[in-house]
Amino acid sequence: MPALRTLLASLLILAAGLATLAGATDGFRAFTAEAARRLEVSEHPRALPAASLETAGGQAIDLASLRGRWLLVEFIFTRCTTYCSVQGRDLARLQDRLARPIADGQVALLSISFDPAHDGPPELAAYLRHAGSHGAGWIAARPASAPDLETLLHAFGVTVIPDGIGGYVHNAAISVVDPRGRLVAIMDWDAPAVAEQYVLRRLPR
Amino acid sequence: MMASPHARPRLAVGLWLALALPPARHALEATMTLHMLVQIPLLALAGWWLAPCLPARARESLDAWNHRGISGLLLASLAAMVWMLPRAIDAALEEPWVAIAKFVGVPLLIGLPLALSWPRTGFVVRGVFLLEVVATAFRLSRLYLLAPARLCSNYLASDQQRLGQTLLGIGVATSLWIAWRLVWGRSGLEAARTGAESGGRAAQGDAAAPPAGARARLHGSGQGA
């Protein structure tokens, strides 16, 4: 009798346990927070909230004012000396390869600093220069206020942590925002070609 | 073992409160290694220490569904799997309700069922369970050491490496301990048998039976043995 009851209890526990694990991993598809964020966004595009930015040119803009075109967004801090230089060069390459849709106003690149205390307009301008930007269609900006920074990090699902040696580490990626202002995809920061293809396939011909 | 049965639940509550207080919580959640290998195991220990709180009757009815501790070990294993997900670890830092689920779920779904089941478990099931613990330590260690990216957004890559190395150490140490017990560990059983021969009835039956004192307590409120 205890053996039968134990079998029954075990089957119930197994079913509940597997259901919990499936729920906790989106059906065994996302085992990390980063994978979950990407899956979430691709299945449920997220409308971006209002947030104010200050550009490298010192201009105040709202995130919503960039609607009407595809945005490729990356988060940066300009003091970064490691992968960020690669990230910057990758965006410069995207600027070249997407030159035509950028010129047509269909695509823009946006680098947002999560270190606004240090990254003022001069630092952001220097970042664009060092990365190799040639002006058109690539905006570098910092959140206008601390709440704007929080809003942006939360909306894009970016987690920033101190790296223990004075800088930061974050879940770097290229985020794609569609012309309606919705976050629709998050891609590996070191595979810009994927983001390029994603946008090119969706542009009207 | 050393503490009296009434001291255990007090220890459990004390440990749980100490872990839940902000200073300890922040200190133990500051690194991935402390979070996964110290905080969560200590929460489970608090749950283990809660076991003597259960009234004898509740314990007996649970035992009827927990033949040889199998359903309890299954419950603890599945609950432990949830807390091995990097995603769950991140969520426990970011979502208050996940943090609450950790502080409540780990003691009650891992520590407590282990305490209720382990003493009832036979040699073979214990062996399988321990080998699975070792295999899990090696598997996770490999995962953390070889992962090309950070698995937890809230922890550094160096932290992930340290966790991988520590898990490797735990896997090796546990295997050595099991091997040692298999080769030289018979002395425990033999001692028990000698004890039984010299008059004590406590060690009769399987070696995992509760000590005579606990048995007397279990039957004290019932119909009597």
Side-chain angles (χ1 to χ4, degrees):
Chain A
M1 210 40 194
L4 260 182
R5 284 190 190 171
T6 299
L7 182 64
L8 184 61
S10 300
L11 287 175
L12 287 174
I13 288 169
L14 193 64
L18 288 178
T20 308
L21 280 169
T25 57
D26 283 313
F28 302 103
R29 289 181 300 165
F31 293 87
T32 64
E34 181 60 14
R37 155 173 101 117
R38 295 179 181 206
L39 191 66
E40 232 275 335
V41 161
S42 71
E43 291 184 348
H44 306 284
R46 215 185 263 180
L48 293 178
S52 303
L53 296 165
E54 183 185 15
T55 67
Q59 205 185 343
I61 58 168
D62 196 90
L63 191 59
S65 70
L66 299 173
R67 273 192 204 157
R69 73 200 87 180
W70 289 88
L71 286 181
L72 296 177
V73 185
E74 57 156 19
F75 281 78
I76 58 160
F77 69 111
T78 64
R79 284 179 297 151
C80 178
T81 50
T82 52
Y83 57 88
C84 308
S85 55
V86 181
Q87 205 181 346
R89 275 201 300 277
D90 279 345
L91 235 68
R93 211 163 296 135
L94 273 180
Q95 191 186 27
D96 284 336
R97 301 180 63 113
L98 294 169
R100 175 160 303 176
I102 286 178
D104 293 346
Q106 292 175 307
V107 176
L109 310 177
L110 175 61
S111 297
I112 301 175
S113 167
F114 51 74
D115 186 17
H118 176 271
D119 293 341
E123 286 77 17
L124 292 169
Y127 172 79
L128 287 178
R129 208 164 46 242
H130 286 145
S133 165
H134 39 71
W138 185 356
I139 304 159
R142 64 171 175 179
S145 68
D148 284 314
L149 173 62
E150 277 312 304
T151 305
L152 285 166
L153 291 179
H154 188 257
F156 283 89
V158 175
T159 306
V160 180
I161 56 172
D163 66 0
I165 48 169
Y168 301 101
V169 169
H170 71 295
N171 46 346
I174 301 174
S175 302
V176 183
V177 178
D178 74 1
R180 290 162 61 189
R182 301 178 312 162
L183 177 59
V184 288
I186 297 172
M187 279 132 180
D188 289 340
W189 64 271
D190 53 356
V194 179
E196 179 194 330
Q197 284 308 314
Y198 183 95
V199 169
L200 282 180
R201 267 202 309 267
R202 284 164 178 78
L203 285 180
R205 315 209 158 240
Chain B
M1 287 148 257
M2 313 118 265
S4 87
H6 298 288
R8 285 287 188 79
R10 258 179 250 149
L11 270 177
V13 174
L15 176 61
W16 190 89
L17 283 176
L19 289 170
L21 286 177
R25 215 193 129 189
H26 291 150
L28 292 178
E29 288 175 356
T31 79
M32 202 174 171
T33 311
L34 288 175
H35 194 167
M36 295 186 78
L37 297 182
V38 178
Q39 191 199 52
I40 290 178
L42 284 178
L43 280 172
L45 179 65
W48 180 292
W49 281 344
L50 269 185
C53 271
L54 278 187
R57 190 167 303 171
R59 203 179 162 126
E60 272 170 44
S61 44
L62 275 179
D63 284 351
W65 296 84
N66 193 17
H67 184 55
R68 290 176 183 257
I70 287 172
S71 32
L73 286 190
L74 184 67
L75 173 61
S77 311
L78 285 164
M81 277 169 80
V82 171
W83 295 106
M84 287 176 208
L85 296 172
R87 185 177 171 184
I89 295 296
D90 264 333
L93 298 169
E94 290 167 1
E95 306 268 359
W97 72 268
V98 180
I100 292 170
K102 181 179 74 178
F103 272 88
V104 176
V106 171
L108 297 186
L109 299 180
I110 301 178
L112 184 63
L114 278 180
L116 295 177
S117 307
W118 192 250
R120 306 167 49 77
T121 309
F123 180 77
V124 173
V125 176
R126 276 188 188 194
V128 170
F129 186 81
L130 284 177
L131 285 181
E132 193 47 42
V133 168
V134 171
T136 305
F138 284 132
R139 264 184 235 127
L140 285 182
S141 138
R142 195 180 147 78
L143 172 74
Y144 292 133
L145 288 174
L146 300 184
R150 292 182 306 131
L151 296 175
C152 281
S153 300
N154 285 285
Y155 293 113
L156 297 174
S158 56
D159 203 358
Q160 186 169 304
Q161 292 290 311
R162 202 175 319 118
L163 176 59
Q165 288 156 359
T166 313
L167 278 166
L168 190 63
I170 290 175
V172 170
T174 316
S175 326
L176 288 176
W177 176 75
I178 292 173
W180 190 83
R181 287 293 299 262
L182 284 176
V183 178
W184 289 287
R186 298 199 139 261
S187 53
L189 265 182
E190 273 152 18
R193 200 171 300 134
T194 341
E197 278 159 12
S198 68
R201 289 173 302 149
Q204 96 194 63
D206 79 15
R215 229 186 267 181
R217 239 184 302 118
L218 273 178
H219 291 272
S221 62
Q223 295 85 353

